Amino acid sequence: MTALCDAAEAAGGAAKPSGAGGGDCGIALLDAETPRDIDQVRERWATAGVLPLPVRPAVEGNEE
């Protein structure tokens, strides 16, 4: 979880562990306009054994 957070924060993003006991998963938010930074984060995660799960917000169905 430290590697997940450190890599995202080094790229100007934000991250935090989640789950009981210090976390068994984490979330990272990165600027979609900086693909090079995102690639660097993915490389650091791969080296540390972090497995990303790409998710995106739903474009439709969130209107009020």
Side-chain angles (χ1 to χ4, degrees), residues 22-49:
D24 55 356
C25 61
I27 184 167
L29 302 174
L30 302 163
D31 184 350
E33 301 294 321
T34 59
R36 192 178 104 205
D37 291 343
I38 293 170
D39 289 342
Q40 290 174 351
V41 169
R42 288 181 177 157
E43 288 174 18
R44 287 182 65 180
W45 285 353
T47 300

Side-chain angles (χ1 to χ4, degrees), residues 10-24:
K16 70 178 285 301
S18 181
D24 55 356

Side-chain angles (χ1 to χ4, degrees), residues 11 13-15 20 27-28 37 45 50-51 56 58 62:
I27 184 167
D37 291 343
W45 285 353
V50 175
L51 301 175
R56 297 178 191 270
N62 289 328

